[in-house]
Amino acid sequence: MPGSSRKCSFIGKKEPKELSQLVKFFWFFFSKKRTLLLPFLLFLAGAGDRCDTLVIPPGVGVGSPADVTAFNPLLVTSLYNEHVADYLFANLLWLDKDDRIDFSRSIATKIEVFDDDTRYRVTLRPWQWSDGKPVTADDVLYTWELIQKFGTNFAGYGQGGVPTMIKNFTVLNPEQFEITLNQPVNPDWFELGGLTQFTPLPRHDWGRLTTDELFGGQSNPKLFSVVDGPMQIGAYNIGRSITMVDNAKYPLEHLQFKRMVEKFLESGGAELQGIQSGEVDLANLPPEAFDAGKLVRNVHLVVEPPAFTFFYVGLNFKNPRVTFFNDVSVRQAIQDAIDQKAMIKALWHGYGVEAYSPVPANPDTYLSPRARSGKLPVGFNPAKANALLDQAGYKRGADGIRSKNGIRLEFTLTVPSGTINELMIGQFMQPELRKIGIVMRIQMEDFNQMMATISQGIAPWESYMLFTSLGPYPSGELIFQTGGNENWGGYSDPKMDRLIEDSVNKPGLDALFQYEDYATEQQPSIFLPNLEYIVLERNGIMGAGHIIFPGSGYDPQLLTVDKKICDAAH
């Protein structure tokens, strides 16, 4: 137990003057029963150390709870795994609240662009690994070598042109490297989407391992003992928790607690119970428990802006049972049937933002003029939805459900189990779709099993509900381009491919705006509102509203604590 040597140091010695009257009483009472005195004093002192430990569930402020299962930044596909990888390994490029590079917090100090936007020279600042060795350009080269070896197992494969557009990687000196591309591209797209993936990795520690060993050891803390981010792994209990401790060599803000424990909880209800009992210090307030959450003592509410993600229903365009998803009229009708404004009010007490495209409204850096105007080709309009389906030849049967060529408009939506929020959204959608002649069934599946099902095709599926992080530049090549690494449903549209390519290759934002507007029209996924999460924060702990950044992840080391207030809150 932390501090136990101090707490036990006076056993069998003269009575310390600083003991409280309560401890003096028990000292006298148990003076001849040391076996009883020891656990009592350990318990008593432990209560005062509670605020040395920050306990949070993964995903506070960004999503429903789930386990952390891997730590390698090149291989993680879950947002919460990505968060832990960011704790361990510092960003080459750190992005601020507006999704812009902040060199004052990055390992890189500057980027120079040459040769018609094909050659990028990056300069590094002095930075150290946790074992005291310097972070160098060779560590970034090692990252590039691993990306090539992992191939399509690399989580960011295709994003920002990595690895397919990279012609050469050259180390100029320990503080500088250059990347040469095989074609001119939009520098913003490559810097935000490509260069951000070159997180330096410790060649001097990992170089002895094969790629198979690295792949198989994604959840082995022993492989992650040398890091350069704000935290190190203190302990990992599979399926239960991960404990992070401060990395003394990190040059920026340090963890204000002796340790941070991410406790894996099963549901939003468990989060609320955890903060009510004092077991956790920050927790999402589930919308379904909004009134109860406001009554919790010794906490305050923090409203988080929507994360830089989009929330959506993914569709399987390859499943013969739901071929109607290939019809844009059906997809538009589904979107037009959903009253997003009413959903936000009914389910989230008004804390949410309507969304009809894959480009988030927060920050508004990448919103097209059309999106800003609010004049969109889709939006709640049941009459229009019915007209679209009529014109496309989908006829209502005796039960009111539409069909065409013998295929009924019915499908199954898979949502992660333990997430009441997603279930409620599905249940809200069901009657609205029924009104236009579409049946949507709901099935729940463990989150990790659901991800394996949809991403690896281990079982047939029809649709799923998920939120996805976009990467810092929301250009869509991973999820909506033909063959994209996260295009699990097999969506393919030549015009979409061309617009995504233009957003990649042409400088400026005009091409990105055209892609955004076309995605709004086509609805390659059914886009849903973005929730503004309400976080319950223990009194004495401050900063929950300042730890989430669109492109640089999650930074709980920015939380601060007033131990006197925090101790009283426990």
Side-chain angles (χ1 to χ4, degrees), residues 24 355 505:
K24 288 180 180 181
N505 295 327

Side-chain angles (χ1 to χ4, degrees), residues 359-370:
V359 176
N362 181 70
D364 62 3
T365 308
Y366 304 109
L367 280 185
S368 71
R370 186 180 189 181

Side-chain angles (χ1 to χ4, degrees), residues 90 106-107 125-128 228-230 247-254:
S106 303
I107 296 179
R125 74 173 71 253
W127 205 275
Q128 284 186 318
D228 67 342
N247 171 16
K249 298 293 185 182
Y250 185 65
L252 303 177
E253 296 90 350
H254 286 264

Side-chain angles (χ1 to χ4, degrees), residues 379-561:
F380 181 57
N381 190 335
K384 175 171 169 279
N386 276 307
L388 282 169
L389 295 176
D390 288 341
Q391 294 165 11
Y394 295 93
K395 307 297 184 184
R396 288 184 183 268
D399 60 356
I401 304 308
R402 296 177 182 268
S403 64
K404 180 180 178 181
N405 299 328
I407 298 179
R408 284 164 56 90
L409 291 186
E410 56 182 357
F411 65 96
T412 297
L413 173 69
T414 302
V415 301
S417 59
T419 56
I420 300 300
N421 184 51
E422 282 84 339
L423 177 61
M424 291 195 308
I425 293 169
Q427 291 173 337
F428 183 94
M429 292 169 58
Q430 280 181 312
E432 300 206 315
L433 295 181
R434 183 85 185 201
K435 290 175 185 176
I436 65 169
I438 298 176
V439 171
M440 184 183 76
R441 298 174 295 273
I442 300 174
Q443 72 174 20
M444 303 191 77
E445 192 170 334
D446 172 77
F447 174 79
N448 291 321
Q449 181 61 42
M450 185 187 85
M451 291 301 299
T453 297
I454 63 178
S455 65
Q456 300 173 23
I458 61 175
W461 58 275
E462 296 177 4
S463 69
Y464 62 90
M465 186 182 295
L466 197 65
F467 68 90
T468 184
S469 60
L470 297 167
Y473 196 82
S475 50
E477 63 270 17
L478 285 185
I479 193 166
F480 296 129
Q481 193 165 37
T482 301
N485 208 36
E486 296 179 14
N487 187 353
W488 300 312
Y491 176 76
S492 183
D493 179 336
K495 183 176 180 180
M496 184 73 79
D497 290 344
R498 178 176 58 79
L499 291 175
I500 290 174
E501 287 295 324
D502 286 347
S503 72
V504 166
N505 295 327
K506 296 181 178 179
L509 294 176
D510 287 346
L512 180 69
F513 292 158
Q514 292 179 45
Y515 150 72
E516 177 183 347
D517 292 342
Y518 188 65
T520 304
E521 173 193 313
Q522 291 294 305
Q523 295 291 297
S525 292
I526 308 304
F527 303 109
L528 298 173
N530 281 338
L531 171 64
E532 295 174 307
Y533 278 91
I534 301 172
V535 173
L536 296 174
E537 185 175 48
R538 181 79 54 204
N539 288 348
I541 297 173
M542 297 155 285
H546 305 285
I547 63 174
I548 300 170
F549 296 84
S552 293
Y554 200 69
D555 293 88
Q557 74 273 12
L558 300 180
L559 291 169
T560 59
V561 61

Side-chain angles (χ1 to χ4, degrees), residues 13-140:
K13 299 181 181 180
K14 292 183 179 180
E15 175 186 324
K17 294 181 180 180
E18 67 271 21
L19 288 177
S20 68
Q21 294 299 317
L22 179 63
V23 176
K24 288 180 180 181
F25 169 78
F26 278 96
W27 177 269
F28 174 80
F29 186 81
F30 289 118
S31 61
K32 296 184 180 181
K33 299 181 180 347
R34 296 179 187 177
T35 56
L36 294 176
L37 177 62
L38 176 60
F40 169 76
L41 290 175
L42 289 174
F43 166 79
L44 185 67
D49 281 354
R50 175 61 180 84
C51 293
D52 287 336
T53 299
L54 175 71
V55 183
I56 63 175
V60 169
V62 296
S64 302
D67 293 4
V68 171
T69 58
F71 322 129
N72 190 318
L74 301 184
L75 300 172
V76 293
T77 55
S78 157
L79 183 60
Y80 303 159
N81 290 347
E82 186 178 323
H83 286 169
V84 173
D86 285 345
Y87 302 160
L88 300 175
F89 299 103
N91 296 301
L92 178 69
L93 299 172
W94 196 90
L95 307 181
D96 65 17
K97 291 277 189 181
D98 294 320
D99 204 39
R100 304 296 191 192
I101 297 171
D102 181 350
F103 285 107
S104 71
R105 301 185 60 83
S106 303
I107 296 179
T109 60
K110 64 179 178 179
I111 303 168
E112 300 169 274
V113 184
F114 307 97
D115 300 341
D116 195 25
D117 299 334
T118 62
R119 185 161 57 94
Y120 295 76
R121 180 181 298 164
V122 180
T123 302
L124 309 181
R125 74 173 71 253
W127 205 275
Q128 284 186 318
W129 294 107
S130 54
D131 61 2
K133 291 183 168 57
V135 175
T136 70
D138 185 63
D139 292 313
V140 188

Side-chain angles (χ1 to χ4, degrees), residues 226-279:
V226 176
V227 300
D228 67 342
M231 299 181 228
Q232 298 175 278
I233 298 174
Y236 178 56
N237 298 305
I238 296 175
R240 296 176 63 87
S241 66
I242 183 167
T243 299
M244 310 302 299
V245 296
D246 184 59
N247 171 16
K249 298 293 185 182
Y250 185 65
L252 303 177
E253 296 90 350
H254 286 264
L255 189 65
Q256 299 297 298
F257 306 83
K258 288 183 179 178
R259 65 198 68 80
M260 181 186 79
V261 178
E262 288 202 351
K263 185 176 180 61
F264 310 153
L265 301 176
E266 296 299 321
S267 66
E271 287 188 84
L272 181 58
Q273 292 172 6
I275 201 148
Q276 285 174 321
S277 67
E279 183 182 3

